[in-house]
Amino acid sequence: VETSSSLLNLSELQLHALDSLPTLTAKFSNLQELNISDNQITTLASSLSTHTSLTRLVCSKNHLTDISPIATLPSLHSLF
């Protein structure tokens, strides 16, 4: 069972069966890898730009038309 404390230290997150990306709160400030591949997502939430620890974003097999919310992520090294 995950506690709220361990969720705050979450470094990797994989989400499935989405048609839009949920807002990831600042509580996930340690998030380094986000996998949202193989969904029906068309836009990335603007709140994604606040996750400056994010180093890898896997967003293939979606219907993205705008990825500008990630343009300013300083640690992002891998985008798939």
Side-chain angles (χ1 to χ4, degrees), residues 28-70:
F28 295 108
S29 62
N30 293 326
L31 190 62
Q32 295 175 352
E33 182 173 331
L34 177 60
N35 185 334
I36 54 170
S37 63
D38 205 15
N39 285 290
Q40 302 295 315
I41 299 170
T42 57
T43 60
L44 297 175
S46 60
S47 64
L48 195 57
S49 65
T50 64
H51 294 279
T52 57
S53 295
L54 195 64
T55 60
R56 179 182 170 121
L57 176 61
V58 182
C59 56
S60 59
K61 298 183 183 176
N62 279 290
H63 302 284
L64 293 171
T65 58
D66 181 17
I67 60 169
S68 61
I70 62 167

